[in-house]
Amino acid sequence: MPKVQKFTRRVPSPEMKISDATLRLHAGYTLKRAMNVMQADLARTLKPFGLRMITYSALVMIADNPGMRQAQLADALAIERPNLVVIIDGLENRELITRDIVPTDRRAYSLQVTLAGKRLYDKAFKAILAHEAEILSILSDQEREQMLAAMCLIEAAEEHWRTLHQEKKTGD
Amino acid sequence: MPKVQKFTRRVPSPEMKISDATLRLHAGYTLKRAMNVMQADLARTLKPFGLRMITYSALVMIADNPGMRQAQLADALAIERPNLVVIIDGLENRELITRDIVPTDRRAYSLQVTLAGKRLYDKAFKAILAHEAEILSILSDQEREQMLAAMCLIEAAEEHWRTLHQEKKTGD
DNA sequence: TATTGTTATACTCTATAACTATA
DNA sequence: TATAGTTATAGAGTATAACAATA
């Protein structure tokens, strides 16, 4: 089987029309492309506040759930506990949150937002809402609601789907 | 003897209710959560074929656009040229694609899919469609179409949005 | 001088094992 | 024994600078 095809000319001109029609048939591909746009805008929006997506998410969760522990936060944000440590460290060093001692369980910390943390949270939250409203303005209110509902259904479907197949994740 | 816990708890922690209601107000957050589900399933689906998302995408693009160059492929997949090299290397080593010489431009390569590459592409494509159909079965046909249309609008909106603001990305 | 493919590098994000101190 | 937080580390994924060959 000769692999030399230097004589088969296909004329790969720079003006050639590139098509990703096949990949567009995959919902995951289209979803990823759209999410990259949202993600990039979100990162730009948060940058002036010195926040990244994950640090902002952690700040919001702590502010909304005062006293929560790191393990709970990691679970809620769907990240591993070790990766949360540096995130919490950063927020604590900037005095946006505090790690308080839990009298009933001296292994754990009670996470609390500070006044400065809540102020930053409020500003970042409003900025994000404004940016997202701008990007999503191409969608009607109904389209936007239906899209978000569909996203929630997809996310929720995973648990249902896993239960159905009784995941054997221990071996694979 | 299966180990049975006296008190089975999914989250062995305070009985506190954790809420991510605020983050749910951000479309980007909800979008990311849903995409993670699709992404994880896609990775699982491709694993038996020895493909990752990016290598599968490259294979499909090359098969659908015979003769395209690496720079074009990198642009289409929205990745940097240096990161594409190792991907192309992998596909070429497995003889799924070939790098052919372009007589008219000896700097460039003409990317072509091999028969084995096309066969793997067909199998992987069908597997992905089946998996996605299963996950998206919680949505009606109309809901699915509307969701995908919304995703395309969001992605397309970025260019429009950037044009409107006449990006000063050179300094930011 | 600009472009194609490439190398080297670095930085982020994520995943896992193992340690400590508690329970 | 099990859990909460931590440390160290490794693997992806992604970004930029710079180089050789060629246009």
Side-chain angles (χ1 to χ4, degrees):
Chain A
M1 178 158 53
K3 54 191 293 184
V4 179
Q5 302 174 358
K6 62 174 71 170
F7 293 102
T8 57
R9 284 185 290 169
R10 292 284 189 122
V11 191
S13 65
E15 298 92 29
M16 200 174 78
K17 189 68 178 178
I18 304 299
S19 164
D20 66 344
T22 300
L23 292 179
R24 287 286 171 193
L25 296 177
H26 298 313
Y29 178 81
T30 303
L31 208 51
K32 179 169 169 54
R33 302 282 297 214
M35 205 215 54
N36 281 346
V37 171
M38 300 294 296
Q39 196 109 318
D41 180 70
L42 190 53
R44 272 193 303 268
T45 306
L46 288 174
K47 200 167 189 179
F49 301 106
L51 292 170
R52 292 173 297 132
M53 270 161 291
I54 192 64
T55 54
Y56 168 76
S57 299
L59 180 61
V60 169
M61 289 299 294
I62 294 169
D64 287 3
N65 303 277
M68 79 186 304
R69 301 171 8 180
Q70 291 185 198
Q72 290 177 302
L73 182 54
D75 187 61
L77 295 179
I79 64 175
E80 298 300 317
R81 265 77 77 200
N83 297 328
L84 182 61
V85 174
V86 60
I87 294 167
I88 297 298
D89 282 346
L91 292 175
E92 190 184 32
N93 288 340
R94 292 174 62 187
E95 299 188 346
L96 300 173
I97 65 162
T98 58
R99 271 193 259 231
D100 301 343
I101 290 177
V102 177
T104 56
D105 189 342
R106 297 184 53 201
R107 296 170 303 180
Y109 288 125
S110 166
L111 300 175
Q112 306 279 348
V113 71
T114 64
L115 180 57
K118 189 62 173 67
R119 284 201 184 121
L120 187 64
Y121 158 53
D122 286 336
K123 284 191 290 186
F125 175 76
K126 284 170 186 156
I128 293 172
L129 275 200
H131 265 247
E132 289 201 335
E134 189 172 18
I135 285 188
L136 297 182
S137 63
I138 37 137
L139 301 178
S140 70
D141 288 353
Q142 190 196 24
E143 283 174 330
R144 188 164 58 249
E145 288 309 311
Q146 286 175 344
M147 178 196 79
L148 292 177
M151 295 298 111
C152 288
L153 277 176
I154 290 173
E155 185 188 344
E158 204 225 0
E159 292 180 36
H160 175 250
W161 173 78
R162 286 214 166 198
T163 308
L164 274 183
H165 288 68
Q166 267 310 346
E167 206 64 85
K168 29 76 208 257
K169 25 188 316 198
T170 52
D172 189 55
Chain B
M1 174 87 73
K3 57 173 184 180
V4 178
Q5 287 179 314
K6 205 172 196 176
F7 303 100
T8 54
R9 286 178 181 168
R10 292 181 57 237
V11 181
S13 56
E15 58 285 352
M16 204 174 73
K17 183 76 173 177
I18 304 299
S19 164
D20 66 344
T22 300
L23 292 180
R24 287 288 171 192
L25 296 177
H26 298 312
Y29 178 80
T30 303
L31 208 51
K32 179 168 167 55
R33 303 281 297 212
M35 205 216 55
N36 281 345
V37 171
M38 300 294 295
Q39 196 109 318
D41 180 70
L42 190 52
R44 272 195 302 269
T45 305
L46 288 174
K47 198 167 190 178
F49 301 105
L51 292 171
R52 291 174 298 133
M53 270 161 292
I54 192 63
T55 54
Y56 169 76
S57 299
L59 180 62
V60 169
M61 289 300 294
I62 294 169
D64 287 3
N65 302 277
M68 78 186 306
R69 302 188 200 170
Q70 291 184 198
Q72 290 177 301
L73 182 55
D75 186 61
L77 295 178
I79 65 175
E80 298 301 317
R81 264 77 74 196
N83 297 327
L84 183 60
V85 174
V86 60
I87 295 166
I88 297 297
D89 282 347
L91 292 174
E92 189 185 32
N93 289 340
R94 292 175 63 187
E95 298 189 348
L96 300 172
I97 64 164
T98 56
R99 271 192 259 232
D100 300 344
I101 291 175
V102 177
T104 57
D105 188 343
R106 298 184 55 199
R107 296 171 302 180
Y109 287 125
S110 165
L111 300 175
Q112 306 279 349
V113 70
T114 65
L115 180 58
K118 189 61 174 64
R119 285 202 184 117
L120 187 63
Y121 157 53
D122 287 335
K123 285 191 290 185
F125 174 76
K126 283 170 186 157
I128 293 173
L129 276 198
H131 265 248
E132 289 201 335
E134 189 173 18
I135 285 188
L136 298 181
S137 64
I138 35 137
L139 302 177
S140 70
D141 288 353
Q142 192 196 20
E143 284 174 329
R144 189 167 57 250
E145 288 309 309
Q146 286 175 345
M147 178 197 76
L148 292 177
M151 295 299 110
C152 288
L153 278 175
I154 290 173
E155 186 188 343
E158 205 226 1
E159 292 179 39
H160 175 249
W161 173 78
R162 287 216 165 195
T163 307
L164 273 184
H165 288 66
Q166 264 312 351
E167 206 63 87
K168 27 84 212 247
K169 29 190 311 199
T170 53
D172 184 61

